[in-house]
């Protein structure tokens, strides 16, 4: 059982592999998130304007609304996987509270055999970040309506291939936007922190 004391401990490489193996196993839906999607999705939840409970974000980890829930081999496995999910979520939250400038998406902390694999991981990450926004789209609206701050979302939309307007962007330019993505996510976090501070005055 996971104690409250280590719920914010980042997952080790082995634990990330364990979680990834379960997400892509035959015991989850074909629409379940990959580990890169999960990281992008939970990052959006962590840096966004609302505090969302697990029962608000967890269902989409397993797929679409009409997909079957995961099949756990036992209660112990269910507890293990849920613990890994919660720890990964909480570790992202903790990082942004303690040292946001150190943030890197998961795909930037991994090695890939082919550059095309990294590109796909980055696209999956950014696409899932946008899915996280949709969980509380109305609360995110001030950022969309802010002409200056809206630019923080562009690396996510371009890297994630969200919207037809990015179809003509070449690989080199997409790579530049990918490089800009971590700083943009930190900017999004700081945007909401500043707004919440203003609202608290």
């Amino acid at each position: 059982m996971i104690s409250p004391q280590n719920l914010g401990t980042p997952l080790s490489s082995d634990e990330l592999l364990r979680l990834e193996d379960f997400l892509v196993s035959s015991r989850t839906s074909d629409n379940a998130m990959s580990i890169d999607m999960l990281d992008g999705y939970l990052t959006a939840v962590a840096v966004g304007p609302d505090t969302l409970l697990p029962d608000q974000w967890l269902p989409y980890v397993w797929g679409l609304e009409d997909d079957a829930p995961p099949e756990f081999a036992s209660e112990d496995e269910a507890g293990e996987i849920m613990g890994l999910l919660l720890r990964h979520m909480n570790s992202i939250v903790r990082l942004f509270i303690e040292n946001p400038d150190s943030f890197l998406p998961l795909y930037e902390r991994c090695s890939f055999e082919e550059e095309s694999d990294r590109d796909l991981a980055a696209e999956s990450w950014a696409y899932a970040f946008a899915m996280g926004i949709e969980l509380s789209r109305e609360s995110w609206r001030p950022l969309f309506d802010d002409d200056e701050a809206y630019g923080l979302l562009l690396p996510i939309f371009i890297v994630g291939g969200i919207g037809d307007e990015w179809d003509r962007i070449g690989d080199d330019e997409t790579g530049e936007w990918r490089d800009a993505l971590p700083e943009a996510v930190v900017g999004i976090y700081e945007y909401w922190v500043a707004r919440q501070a203003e609202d608290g005055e």
Side-chain angles (χ1 to χ4, degrees), residues 41-62:
Y41 178 69
L42 294 184
T43 300
V45 175
V47 304
D50 294 336
T51 299
L52 301 179
L53 298 175
D55 62 358
Q56 293 173 282
W57 55 258
L58 184 59
Y60 297 100
V61 171
W62 306 126

Side-chain angles (χ1 to χ4, degrees), residues 84-167:
L84 294 176
L85 285 168
L86 291 175
R87 273 181 55 203
H88 193 52
M89 174 63 189
N90 289 344
S91 67
I92 296 171
V93 172
R94 183 175 179 178
L95 181 146
F96 277 98
I97 292 173
E98 295 181 351
N99 189 13
D101 289 336
S102 69
F103 166 73
L104 283 175
L106 181 60
Y107 63 83
E108 290 287 4
R109 294 180 273 132
C110 298
S111 58
F112 297 87
E113 292 184 1
E114 302 289 343
E115 188 64 23
S116 58
D117 294 333
R118 181 182 297 278
D119 293 342
L120 180 59
E123 181 179 350
S124 297
W125 192 99
Y127 183 85
F129 188 102
M131 291 176 61
I133 292 176
E134 291 300 320
L135 290 176
S136 50
R137 178 62 179 263
E138 281 305 308
S139 296
W140 280 78
R141 187 168 296 282
L143 179 55
F144 282 82
D145 292 342
D146 187 319
D147 291 340
E148 182 176 351
Y150 177 77
L152 294 169
L153 293 168
L154 290 182
I156 293 160
F157 293 156
I158 293 172
V159 175
I162 300 165
D164 296 337
E165 60 267 41
W166 316 122
D167 288 347

